[in-house]
Amino acid sequence: MASRKSKQPPKRLGEITANLTGILSAFAIAFSGLFLVQDRLLQEQERLLESGGLMELPQTGTTDAAESVEVSLKDSLTESELLQLVRNLDQKNEVNLHEPLEGQLTMIQAIDLGKTWLEEFFLSGLVSSGFPTGEYRASCYLWTPETADTDPETSPWLSCWTVSLNSQNLTASLTLNAVSGQVLDASVSCSSSVLRPDEDSLLALLEKYALSFHLEGDDILISFEDKDNHTNGLLCYQSIGTCGIYAGIQADTLIFIGTDTEISSYMERFQVHLYLSPGLKIH
């Protein structure tokens, strides 16, 4: 007896093939979308977190600058809080890195605040016209001095953000309090052909910096003569409050001379260091 083979009607077979094709296409589209989303997230994560949080900041005044986060600052530190923090900073050797806690500035806020302080507070008093900063390359990290006696979760004001800003003309390293946003230390270096302030403007900057901490006390200005004639240095202190805190400024013009076969290079860099100290120090 001949065996009987069952056959699917051609129409039924075409419907099954079409359904399978549709299902496979749907899976392909879904997986493609998932991979695209993951790829975008990875790219964004690398953009923000690579090398400790590197970002490209747009030039002030561009439409992209409107995307920066508005910073809402807390009240200034009290004199006792500032004194403890300054002592910790003065003695620190190692630091403990940590993520932002409740009530502390985020990374974006710290960078945005540092950029604003640099351009509107620091440079505005030292240059008569707009400073050609261009775009910045920024990096930052949040830390607590290892010498701190309390945990940052119980005393969040002991933490600080270190923000580094670099452009074609300028290099700056700023230390901001993680709660108040006050700049506790600022080292700025740039070409002396662009920035070369006189002594009066530097002393005015020191006074403005001391007043930014909003502490009442005797207004005492102490100047030390810099005996190094090669740097044209300036070293001055101004008292803050009544507990022995001083705001200091140190300014130097550094000269770099290099030779490459028959070509000689000459460059001057002007450096300004603003900082807080629990006592007078001669660097």
Side-chain angles (χ1 to χ4, degrees), residues 67-138:
E67 297 179 1
S68 61
V69 179
E70 182 180 355
V71 179
S72 178
L73 298 179
K74 306 293 184 182
D75 293 334
S76 300
L77 296 176
T78 66
E79 187 168 3
S80 60
E81 290 173 340
L82 186 63
L83 179 61
Q84 181 179 354
L85 183 55
V86 170
R87 286 174 175 171
N88 286 338
L89 295 176
D90 186 62
Q91 300 172 2
K92 78 177 181 71
N93 294 317
E94 300 292 336
V95 298
N96 297 320
L97 305 181
H98 65 86
E99 296 295 324
L101 303 173
E102 183 178 357
Q104 294 182 339
L105 297 172
T106 65
M107 181 185 70
I108 301 295
Q109 289 174 326
I111 294 177
D112 188 69
L113 183 60
K115 179 174 178 285
T116 300
W117 184 92
L118 180 64
E119 295 182 348
E120 298 182 6
F121 183 93
F122 183 87
L123 292 175
S124 64
L126 299 182
V127 294
S128 56
S129 58
F131 188 86
T133 54
E135 293 188 349
Y136 293 99
R137 182 169 176 81

Side-chain angles (χ1 to χ4, degrees), residues 172-230:
S173 177
L174 311 176
T175 300
L176 286 68
N177 181 258
V179 172
S180 69
Q182 292 167 293
V183 176
L184 309 175
D185 190 286
S187 295
V188 183
S189 172
C190 63
S191 171
S192 60
S193 61
V194 178
L195 179 65
R196 195 169 189 172
D198 56 24
E199 183 174 333
D200 290 339
S201 60
L202 289 172
L203 292 179
L205 176 63
L206 173 62
E207 181 181 12
K208 183 170 68 169
Y209 179 63
L211 292 174
S212 69
F213 293 94
H214 309 292
L215 296 177
E216 298 291 336
D218 296 330
D219 186 12
I220 302 175
L221 179 65
I222 300 174
S223 177
F224 292 97
E225 180 182 358
D226 194 331
K227 301 184 182 301
D228 187 351
N229 296 324
H230 297 288

